[in-house]
Structures are given as C-alpha cells and as structure tokens.
C-alpha cells in the first residue's frame, strides 16, 4: 500500500456515501468517551481527495468531542471510485457485521467486478478495432426490431 501520513484539519475530510449506506451513523457512547479520553488512536485513512476510506466513526466521534486536527493516512493507491469502494469494504472485514451488511458488501464487490470486466472488454475491443484499421469500436448490440416477423 502506498501511503503518506499527513496532519490535516478534520473539517476538510468527506465521508464516503457507501460507508454511510453500509455501516450507518450509529455511535456507541463508550466509543465517544474513549475518543474523548485517548484521542484517535488509529489514524483515519483517506484518499488524496480527503475522502474517508477507513475511520468514518472515528471521524464522527472526533467531531463530537471537538478534535479539530489529527494525523491521517493518505492512500496514494486509490485512483478510481471502484478502488475506493473496494478499500472501504476491505478495511471493515475484520469488524463484526450483520449478515445483511455482509450481503450488501458482496453485492457491491460483485458490481465492481462486473464493471471492471465490462471496461476490460471495451478496452480490448478498441485495441482490436485499431489493429484492423477501424476508426472506432462500437460494441455489438442487437436491434430490438431484428427478430420481428413481418409476413
């Protein structure tokens, strides 16, 4: 993992919507008390655009207790939305989650795999089109009228 440790103002961080969808906003009062007493022990992980990948609840608890600045791990290896979503789920694998959350995580990961496969197919098709001298590649699609029978 490529990363750097930076000191940032926490109000510059953005919560990722997938984390909110999967894991919610609920904070345990004892967790808030722990952050109040000890601070953020494990740094929050963020993208280069300061989108939180790991540590949404630490971020919320820090805001709750008035922490303004802290160290964050800036992940340099997250360059697209699919990588961000995968990292977000992978960072939570060790946590106790409900069967419903695990199912939703699997659905998101399957969707990402499908999108990446489609992208690879398009890239391969474009490369093949260029190799045979076609100006552009258009994936084949059936016409909705192709199978109609007209007596």
């Amino acid at each position: 993992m490529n990363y750097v440790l930076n000191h940032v103002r926490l109000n510059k961080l953005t919560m990722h919507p997938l984390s909110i969808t999967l894991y919610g906003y609920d904070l345990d009062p004892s967790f808030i008390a722990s952050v109040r007493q000890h601070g953020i022990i494990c740094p929050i992980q963020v993208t280069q655009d300061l989108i939180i990948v790991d540590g949404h609840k630490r971020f919320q608890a820090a805001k709750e207790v008035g922490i303004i600045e802290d160290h964050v791990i800036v992940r340099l290896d997250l360059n697209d939305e699919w990588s961000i979503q995968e990292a977000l789920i992978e960072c939570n694998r060790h946590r106790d989650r409900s069967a419903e959350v695990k199912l939703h995580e699997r659905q998101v990961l399957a969707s990402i795999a499908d999108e990446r496969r489609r992208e690879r197919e398009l890239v391969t098709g474009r490369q093949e089109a260029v190799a045979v001298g076609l100006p552009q590649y258009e994936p084949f699609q059936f016409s909705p009228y192709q199978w109609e029978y007209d007596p």
Side-chain angles (χ1 to χ4, degrees):
M1 171 170 49
N2 287 332
Y3 64 89
V4 293
L5 187 64
N6 278 352
H7 196 81
V8 300
R9 296 185 63 83
L10 296 183
N11 65 355
K12 300 287 185 191
L13 304 182
T14 305
M15 294 178 68
H16 194 283
L18 179 61
S19 181
I20 297 163
T21 301
L22 288 175
Y23 311 115
Y25 282 108
D26 299 334
L27 287 180
D28 182 358
S30 65
F31 180 66
I32 295 171
S34 172
V35 171
R36 180 176 286 116
Q37 182 178 359
H38 304 288
I40 300 174
I41 296 171
C42 183
I44 296 168
Q45 292 184 37
V46 299
T47 66
Q48 294 177 59
D49 297 328
L50 301 180
I51 298 169
I52 300 171
V53 176
D54 181 37
H56 289 80
K57 293 194 178 187
R58 281 173 272 159
F59 169 70
Q60 289 176 267
K63 283 183 14 181
E64 180 87 18
V65 302
I67 297 174
I68 297 171
E69 296 180 345
D70 208 340
H71 285 94
V72 298
I73 296 172
V74 180
R75 299 268 309 259
L76 305 175
D77 60 332
L78 303 176
N79 299 320
D80 60 67
E81 182 59 24
W82 297 332
S83 297
I84 293 168
Q85 289 182 15
E86 284 177 325
L88 193 147
I89 291 171
E90 290 302 324
C91 287
N92 284 285
R93 284 214 189 258
H94 68 283
R95 294 187 170 95
D96 188 28
R97 301 164 337 274
S98 69
E100 181 182 353
V101 168
K102 290 177 184 179
L103 174 64
H104 195 174
E105 287 173 338
R106 281 193 298 275
Q107 291 169 338
V108 170
L109 291 173
S111 172
I112 291 169
D114 288 346
E115 290 297 324
R116 284 193 166 148
R117 182 181 39 72
R118 274 193 282 277
E119 181 65 25
R120 278 191 306 273
E121 289 171 357
L122 285 173
V123 167
T124 301
R126 285 186 204 112
Q127 290 170 343
E128 291 170 356
V130 168
V132 297
L134 296 175
Q136 64 184 12
Y137 169 70
E138 290 289 330
F140 178 76
Q141 294 181 354
F142 283 104
S143 164
Y145 308 106
Q146 186 168 353
W147 303 107
E148 288 184 2
Y149 176 71
D150 189 7

